[in-house]
Amino acid sequence: MNKVAIVTDSTAYLAPDIRDQYAIEMVPLNVVIGEDSYQEEIDLTTSEFYKLLKNTEKLPTTSQPAIGHFVETFEKLKDQGYEEIITIHLSSKISGTYQSAMSAASMVEDISIEGFDSEISCAPQGYFVLEAAKMAAEGADAKTILAHLKEIKTTLKAYFMVDSLQHLHRGGRLNAAQLVVGNLLKIKPILHFEEGSIVPFEKVRTEKKAVARICQLLEEDVTQGGAYKVTVIQANRLESAETLAKEIQVKFENVDVDISHFGPVIGTHLGEGSLGVSWFKLSR
């Protein structure tokens, strides 16, 4: 068996069959809609979430996993005979999940537990998890795996846009004046992660221009040579994502394109209709 176990949280949005194939342990975050609390990816699917979102007046809230959930997971893996654990999570700047995992790690004895703050979320977080799991399956130790994850960080990019500014405003990332001006001018801000925080990258006037600008940024990287993994990420707009993914795949021969989604936790903050593209240079 693998000597290194890989743990992540639900915001990596890896399909259950992929998690099963590579023995990836997933600890879910929580989404509260009205009076009901759901474990992401367990009690609430992404499609169910967006249906509920349309019928709720109050913005859902999210919360990190309990420390005890991580302790149970780490203890289980230790009992299964693993010698090391790497636990990979969404950015510590947008969630306390990483800190909860590290607190739990300090409570579990007789096994080495290394944390990795992805400083991002969704499919890009999933890149780190899947690469780590593949290396663990090949017999790599934690030190070697973590060195490769740090290498991935140097080429990883992700840009996304929201369909409505309302969720960013209600979530405290946009003030009232910016909301009014943005709606009047039909601004579609391009957002990205900078040092682990979600910040504006550029402001454009239409979705078409936003998509074109993101594709331009992608082109600047992939035309420098090498093979790239690219993911189009969508919030309940699969058809748009499929069209964009096909366009990218046709235009660039050196990319492998797939489609992922903004699940309930991240969708709470971005809103339905959001669209993004992420990529990194393959080095293995």
Side-chain angles (χ1 to χ4, degrees):
M1 66 174 290
N2 305 347
K3 294 182 179 180
V4 182
I6 305 301
V7 178
T8 191
D9 58 73
S10 56
T11 66
Y13 300 125
L14 291 171
D17 60 329
I18 295 296
R19 297 199 304 266
D20 291 343
Q21 180 181 351
Y22 291 99
I24 298 166
E25 287 287 332
M26 186 274 285
V27 178
L29 276 77
N30 307 295
V31 181
V32 179
I33 304 176
E35 301 297 321
D36 300 314
S37 179
Y38 304 89
Q39 293 183 94
E40 184 179 43
E41 300 276 290
I42 295 178
D43 304 325
L44 183 68
T45 66
T46 297
S47 59
E48 289 169 344
F49 166 74
Y50 285 114
K51 288 178 183 177
L52 289 172
L53 192 62
K54 290 178 179 179
N55 298 316
T56 183
E57 293 183 3
K58 186 178 179 181
L59 185 69
T61 59
T62 62
S63 64
Q64 66 211 46
I67 292 175
H69 199 154
F70 280 113
V71 171
E72 290 176 6
T73 300
F74 297 155
E75 290 282 6
K76 179 183 72 173
L77 292 170
K78 182 182 70 173
D79 292 343
Q80 290 175 355
Y82 286 98
E83 298 175 4
E84 299 177 293
I85 297 172
I86 299 176
T87 188
I88 303 169
H89 300 290
L90 78 164
S91 174
S92 61
K93 295 286 185 65
I94 64 172
S95 170
T97 301
Y98 176 80
Q99 287 88 345
S100 290
M102 291 297 90
S103 294
S106 68
M107 301 176 187
V108 179
E109 299 179 345
D110 301 322
I111 187 169
S112 172
I113 303 174
E114 298 286 346
F116 184 82
D117 182 350
S118 73
E119 298 185 295
I120 204 160
S121 187
C122 302
Q125 177 186 338
Y127 294 158
F128 292 117
V129 177
L130 193 52
E131 285 290 303
K134 288 178 178 179
M135 291 182 71
E138 294 166 3
D141 61 16
K143 182 178 179 180
T144 303
I145 294 171
L146 288 168
H148 180 59
L149 299 189
K150 291 176 182 177
E151 183 181 359
I152 291 174
K153 268 191 183 182
T154 64
T155 64
L156 191 151
K157 304 280 184 64
Y159 299 92
F160 51 99
M161 58 186 180
V162 297
D163 186 56
S164 168
L165 299 176
Q166 192 66 39
H167 283 262
L168 287 172
H169 169 60
R170 293 167 72 183
R173 299 190 179 276
L174 203 68
N175 64 41
Q178 290 172 319
L179 176 66
V180 171
V181 172
N183 285 337
L184 286 174
L185 297 179
K186 297 182 179 179
I187 287 174
K188 293 287 184 181
I190 298 173
L191 307 172
H192 72 148
F193 277 85
E194 187 175 85
E195 296 181 350
S197 297
I198 299 173
V199 298
F201 176 74
E202 286 181 3
K203 296 177 182 178
V204 295
R205 291 287 294 272
T206 66
E207 179 177 300
K208 184 177 180 180
K209 289 182 179 179
V211 171
R213 177 61 175 133
I214 292 173
C215 289
Q216 181 185 35
L217 293 165
L218 171 63
E219 184 172 11
E220 290 173 1
D221 280 357
V222 302
T223 53
Q224 293 180 21
Y228 282 79
K229 177 65 179 179
V230 179
T231 304
V232 178
I233 314 168
Q234 52 84 29
N236 205 30
R237 52 180 308 183
L238 181 58
E239 187 174 335
S240 297
E242 289 175 338
T243 299
L244 180 55
K246 184 176 180 180
E247 290 173 355
I248 292 171
Q249 189 68 77
V250 169
K251 187 172 183 178
F252 305 111
E253 295 182 353
N254 59 328
V255 304
D256 174 33
V257 186
D258 64 7
I259 296 172
S260 186
H261 59 276
F262 294 112
V265 166
I266 304 302
T268 291
H269 302 289
L270 298 184
E272 185 177 14
S274 300
L275 193 67
V277 183
S278 62
W279 63 88
F280 77 101
K281 188 175 183 178
L282 298 171
S283 58
R284 289 201 327 125

